[in-house]
Amino acid sequence: MFVGTGAFTLAYAGGDIKFQSGAPAQQGIPATTVPATPPAPTRKLLDPLTAITFADESGTTYVIARKAADYLGLNIDVSDDGKTLTIGDQLLTQFRRTYNGQTLLAVHDLAKLGGTLYPNPETHELTVVTDESEFKVVVGKKRVEVDQGEQELVGYQGDIVVIRTNVSTGRPGHHTPNGEFVTGPKERMHYSHKYENAPMPYAIQVNGDVFFHGYSSVPPYPASHGCVRIPLSHKNPARYLYHWLESGVDAKISGTYSWENRSRKRKGGD
């Protein structure tokens, strides 16, 4: 079970330094050993970059690599096998991706690419300064939205879509409730208290007995006992969501599935 503490650590030039974020379920920009106040801006001011965090890696924040490279005026290349990332003359092997494939660069690697980092613990922002430009890195707020009409889940951090996947919600008689919730406890393997200890891998509580969890069968229509089933196959979005999402994150479920439309599609109608 995951428990958010709100304190995160980054291994940087001066060693491990703890940084206290403003909210228990959202990670903040880690501190560094660079002074907190940048020099007076004489460079081009760019729009802030939204940072992405992962529940399984506290202390490290990420930005979209291509956007960061563009801000720094550097070329970027991802190897054909996807194992190495080259930005400018720096070869990087430690990076992550959004579920849908955008390459993510660790914020502390911006220092290797010519940026000087100035953290502001009061605003939980980081200012990056180069010879020609200046921009802030701001950790986006996470939220998850489930559309029962489309049978789709989308996870956002700020304005970035981190994960988009098909799901299967509650079938007739076991309806998944619509509403605005906050994610509760997480368990790598949860067992259903209502349905004969059925295994529910990568479980994240949404409301009462309703969970996001992985399942082997996720048809394109409501089929669950009320939970939101997420596929374990392909790139395993259930596992990805579990590793990205903390407890205490806003989760909205809305929409109504149209069985009439499904019947028409099956019959080849409009």
Side-chain angles (χ1 to χ4, degrees):
M1 183 179 296
F2 176 85
V3 179
T5 64
F8 308 98
T9 304
L10 170 65
Y12 198 68
D16 290 346
I17 302 173
K18 289 190 175 181
F19 177 88
Q20 186 69 32
S21 70
Q26 301 292 332
Q27 296 186 28
I29 293 291
T32 71
T33 56
V34 181
T37 304
T42 58
R43 296 154 294 276
K44 182 178 180 181
L45 297 179
L46 304 175
D47 292 336
L49 288 185
T50 299
I52 295 173
T53 59
F54 290 84
D56 68 347
E57 191 181 2
S58 63
T60 303
T61 56
Y62 292 86
V63 290
I64 300 295
R66 291 193 180 279
K67 187 72 171 179
D70 181 60
Y71 273 28
L72 296 171
L74 300 173
N75 293 324
I76 181 171
D77 180 67
V78 180
S79 64
D80 291 339
D81 61 8
K83 294 182 179 180
T84 60
L85 170 67
T86 303
I87 301 180
D89 60 0
Q90 292 292 320
L91 180 65
L92 305 170
T93 58
Q94 300 296 320
F95 53 92
R96 298 185 75 147
R97 291 184 175 86
T98 66
Y99 177 76
N100 302 103
Q102 293 189 86
T103 305
L104 301 176
L105 173 72
V107 167
H108 59 76
D109 282 335
L110 293 173
K112 300 177 183 178
L113 303 173
T116 303
L117 313 183
Y118 297 94
N120 188 329
E122 293 183 0
T123 62
H124 311 296
E125 297 176 344
L126 182 76
T127 299
V128 182
V129 175
T130 71
D131 291 339
E132 299 180 355
S133 64
E134 177 179 328
F135 58 92
K136 293 184 183 297
V137 177
V138 182
V139 174
K141 183 178 180 180
K142 295 183 182 182
R143 72 184 191 278
V144 177
E145 297 182 2
V146 175
D147 186 333
Q148 296 204 68
E150 297 295 328
Q151 294 291 283
E152 182 181 67
L153 178 149
V154 184
Y156 299 89
Q157 187 145 13
D159 58 354
I160 297 173
V161 174
V162 177
I163 178 172
R164 184 189 300 272
T165 180
N166 62 297
V167 298
S168 181
T169 58
R171 62 180 182 255
H174 298 275
H175 185 64
T176 300
N178 284 341
E180 297 184 0
F181 310 103
V182 175
T183 57
K186 298 169 50 177
E187 289 183 276
R188 171 59 184 81
M189 179 61 75
H190 179 76
Y191 294 92
S192 173
H193 301 299
K194 295 179 66 176
Y195 299 104
E196 300 178 348
N197 287 323
M200 298 162 57
Y202 304 113
I204 306 168
Q205 185 186 41
V206 180
N207 182 49
D209 292 325
V210 176
F211 287 76
F212 297 140
H213 69 84
Y215 203 77
S216 58
S217 174
V218 184
Y221 54 85
S224 79
H225 285 101
C227 288
V228 179
R229 292 182 184 176
I230 304 172
L232 293 168
S233 57
H234 189 42
K235 295 188 294 182
N236 200 337
R239 179 178 60 195
Y240 189 99
L241 182 71
Y242 183 87
H243 288 310
W244 169 66
L245 195 63
E246 293 93 353
S247 301
V249 173
D250 292 343
K252 180 180 179 180
I253 302 176
S254 62
T256 302
Y257 184 79
S258 174
W259 290 95
E260 181 179 358
N261 287 346
R262 176 172 182 257
S263 179
R264 287 178 179 175
K265 290 179 182 179
R266 293 179 66 184
K267 293 178 180 179
D270 294 334

